[in-house]
Every structure is written in C-alpha cells, then in structure tokens.
Amino acid sequence: MEARIEKIKQQLQSHGFKLTPQREATVRVLLENEEDHLSAEDVFMLVKDKAPEIGLATVYRTLELLSDLHVVEKMNFGDGVARYDLRNDSTRHHHHHLICVQCGALDEIMEDWLTDLELRLENEYRFQVLDHRLDFQGICHRCRDKNNS
Amino acid sequence: MEARIEKIKQQLQSHGFKLTPQREATVRVLLENEEDHLSAEDVFMLVKDKAPEIGLATVYRTLELLSDLHVVEKMNFGDGVARYDLRNDSTRHHHHHLICVQCGALDEIMEDWLTDLELRLENEYRFQVLDHRLDFQGICHRCRDKNNS
DNA sequence: ATGAATGCAAAACTTTTGCAGGACG
DNA sequence: CGTCCTGCAAAAGTTTTGCATTCAT
C-alpha cells in the first residue's frame, strides 16, 4: 500500500504536481476501496473521515488530475455520475464488467478477453488500440438461483 | 423510412402510448441522423425545425420512453451527456465503437464479435447476457496517416 | 516572494419534475 | 369527463469555475 502511494507520488512529481495531504487522502480512499467504483461524492464522503476540511471541488480536481495521469480511470455506467477506478498499472485496463439488470450487482472479470479482437482491429481497420471497455448487461448467477427457487 | 415509423408507432401503441406529432418529429430526427450519436440537446435543436413549439422536456420524455421500449439505446461516452441511437431491431445491439482519442472521431463496427465470449460467460460465470457494450479507444487510421506524413 | 493548491460559494450544465392547460377519444 | 400528453418554469443533481487565502518552497 505504501509502495503504491509512493509510486503515485512519483507519477505526480514527474509531471510537476505535488502529493498534497488532500491528494494523498483521496488516493488512500481509492486504494482502500479498489473493488468499489466510487463516485466523486462517495470519495468525498470517505475522504472527509481522513481530512474533514477537504472540499468537494478538491476531490473533483484530484480525480480529474489522476485521470489525466492515467492513475485512475473515469467511467460511466449510465446512472448520471462518473465513477473512478484505480488502474493496476499505468498503462492498460484489463477487466470487464458484468452488470446485473435485476439486482444491480456489478461483478468483474479480471482476464483480458480482447487480445484477439485488438489484433483484428489493427489488421482490418488499421485502428491502434490504446484502451478498451467491455460491459455486459444481464442476469447474474445469484439472481438466476433466486428466480428458480 | 415510413415503414420504420409505422413499426415504431405500433410498438408504442402496443404499450398504450401514442405517436404524437412531437414524438413523430423526434423519431424522424433520429432516423435522419442514424449515423450520429445525438445528445438530447442535439435532438432538441434538430426537432425544433420540424416542430418549433416543442419543449426540451418533451424530447427527454420521448427519448426516455423510446429507450424503455428498446427503440433507442441510451449511451454514455464519458462526456457528461447521454447520447441516443436508434436500434435496428428491437432486441439486441450488435455494434462496437472505435473512439479516436486524437480527433474524436467515432467509427462503428457492425459485426458482433462477442458471441464466443458470451458463451464463455454463460458457462464459466453462469451470467445470462442480455446486452453488451464494447468500445475501443485509440488512434484511427486517418490520424495515423496524418501523423506519418 | 512566487507559483501551486485549497476551500468556499457561485455558476454552469444536464436532466427531472410539478403543474396548468390541450388534445382527443 | 378522463386520460394521456405537452410546454413552461422551477427544481434537482453533478461538475466546473472564480477568487481570496493558504501552503510550500
């Protein structure tokens, strides 16, 4: 955990930004809730425990900054709020989402299933893939069990 | 074109809704701009040519209604506005997006590349897929040509 | 001292809602 | 009438911005 903070600190510094206490608190919240796809408001509320004086604007600015540096990924699931995820490496994002339309659960698949497709894109469309996003909507296994009982 | 309007009219009526002049104007705008991913505001401005008295709220309500009926698909590309696409059939949506991070162009792949993956999801995760979404970010072939010249 | 970063409040923007009036069977 | 639908205006919600102040060098 400390190592990951240190790495992010260096990413900031190499672009001329500082890891201020507010930014560190924000990053720690993201680290402690890596599974969660937090919205800016979510992050704000959690950060307030660590740094009660922080303002919502600072959280937005921090998330925006981290997003520009590709430390976090900004996502939209169609519910009107942006959600933010720490990236595991600073380069590519290799997981997919299973969104249950019945209970709203959001599961993840950590494998990258798209390598073949990206090759096809490169060859057939001459499109150089930098990142991708793959979401499935459907019924999760829990709801299927529930529905059948 | 008229045939497609007629079909949408029937879809509305079968659920107890009417194809009012405002709704028809909205659908026509969507039909005439099928390649674009229009935002509600875009639709509103285009619809005003056909029906100047229409209100923005009506456009939102119409798009929401058509979305519920799966006549249009509501999408988010991360720029803070929802965008709406007519579906070709009323069941599944089988195209993917190539988003160029350099020029912002949005190309589409009309094939469905995910059938295999959906089988795997069904077998390995017991997730019943109803719909999916696949976007790639990268550099489009036009920008690659431009960059190399 | 200088530039970067913050907090607060206000503003901007997208989307939703309340409500009075209209259309239409 | 009754119900669905509309336009307008107001409200709600998220995100951005302006600005004075504070914080680090």
Side-chain angles (χ1 to χ4, degrees):
Chain A
M1 164 112 171
E2 298 307 319
R4 297 185 64 187
I5 299 244
E6 190 59 30
K7 184 174 170 197
I8 291 168
K9 181 177 180 182
Q10 285 168 11
Q11 285 178 271
L12 283 166
Q13 289 177 341
S14 72
H15 288 84
F17 302 108
K18 301 171 201 165
L19 184 64
T20 63
Q22 291 90 337
R23 286 178 182 163
E24 179 171 339
T26 304
V27 169
R28 283 187 188 278
V29 163
L30 292 172
L31 275 168
E32 288 162 10
N33 298 274
E34 251 183 309
E35 308 303 309
D36 276 354
H37 309 295
L38 301 174
S39 70
E41 193 81 29
D42 295 337
V43 174
F44 178 56
M45 286 179 0
L46 290 166
V47 167
K48 278 209 145 182
D49 295 341
K50 297 183 195 300
E53 75 293 351
I54 201 173
L56 178 56
T58 300
V59 171
Y60 271 103
R61 283 187 279 234
T62 300
L63 293 172
E64 182 69 20
L65 175 60
L66 294 175
S67 181
D68 289 346
L69 296 180
H70 299 104
V71 172
V72 307
E73 183 180 12
K74 184 176 180 179
M75 278 176 300
N76 264 286
F77 291 111
D79 59 349
V81 295
R83 302 187 171 274
Y84 300 85
D85 260 27
L86 266 186
R87 292 190 176 216
N88 292 321
D89 54 65
S90 57
T91 55
R92 293 281 302 279
H93 186 243
H94 287 318
H95 73 250
H96 316 310
H97 293 111
L98 301 183
I99 303 162
C100 180
V101 298
Q102 187 167 326
C103 69
L106 205 161
D107 296 326
E108 297 187 353
I109 301 176
M110 299 309 292
E111 311 166 63
D112 187 0
W113 286 3
L114 296 181
T115 347
D116 293 347
L117 296 187
E118 291 183 359
L119 274 175
R120 267 183 81 179
L121 272 181
E122 176 69 38
N123 296 332
E124 297 178 21
Y125 292 82
R126 298 191 48 246
F127 187 87
Q128 179 188 352
V129 177
L130 296 174
D131 206 348
H132 61 235
R133 159 188 186 144
L134 176 56
D135 299 339
F136 293 94
Q137 287 93 45
I139 315 274
C140 72
H141 63 93
R142 294 171 293 269
C143 285
R144 294 179 79 175
D145 290 343
K146 216 181 306 163
N147 297 343
N148 292 335
S149 62
Chain B
M1 165 112 167
E2 296 308 317
R4 296 186 63 187
I5 298 243
E6 191 58 32
K7 184 174 170 198
I8 291 168
K9 180 176 179 180
Q10 284 169 12
Q11 284 178 271
L12 283 166
Q13 288 177 341
S14 71
H15 289 84
F17 303 108
K18 301 171 201 166
L19 184 64
T20 63
Q22 291 91 335
R23 286 177 184 164
E24 180 171 338
T26 304
V27 169
R28 283 187 188 276
V29 163
L30 293 172
L31 275 169
E32 289 163 8
N33 298 274
E34 249 184 309
E35 309 303 309
D36 301 331
H37 303 280
L38 300 176
S39 69
E41 193 81 28
D42 294 336
V43 174
F44 178 55
M45 284 177 4
L46 290 167
V47 166
K48 277 207 144 179
D49 295 340
K50 298 181 195 300
E53 75 295 350
I54 201 172
L56 179 56
T58 301
V59 171
Y60 271 103
R61 284 187 280 235
T62 300
L63 291 173
E64 181 69 23
L65 176 60
L66 295 176
S67 181
D68 290 345
L69 296 180
H70 299 103
V71 172
V72 306
E73 182 180 11
K74 184 176 179 180
M75 279 175 299
N76 265 287
F77 291 110
D79 59 348
V81 296
R83 301 186 171 276
Y84 300 85
D85 260 27
L86 267 185
R87 293 192 176 213
N88 292 320
D89 54 65
S90 58
T91 55
R92 292 279 302 279
H93 185 242
H94 288 318
H95 74 252
H96 316 312
H97 294 111
L98 301 183
I99 304 162
C100 180
V101 299
Q102 187 168 327
C103 70
L106 207 160
D107 297 327
E108 297 187 353
I109 301 176
M110 299 309 293
E111 312 167 58
D112 187 0
W113 286 2
L114 296 180
T115 348
D116 294 347
L117 295 187
E118 291 183 1
L119 275 174
R120 266 182 82 178
L121 273 181
E122 175 69 38
N123 295 332
E124 297 177 23
Y125 291 82
R126 299 190 48 245
F127 187 87
Q128 179 189 352
V129 177
L130 297 173
D131 206 348
H132 62 234
R133 158 191 188 138
L134 175 56
D135 300 339
F136 293 94
Q137 287 94 44
I139 316 272
C140 72
H141 62 93
R142 293 172 294 270
C143 286
R144 294 179 80 174
D145 290 343
K146 216 181 306 160
N147 297 344
N148 292 335
S149 60

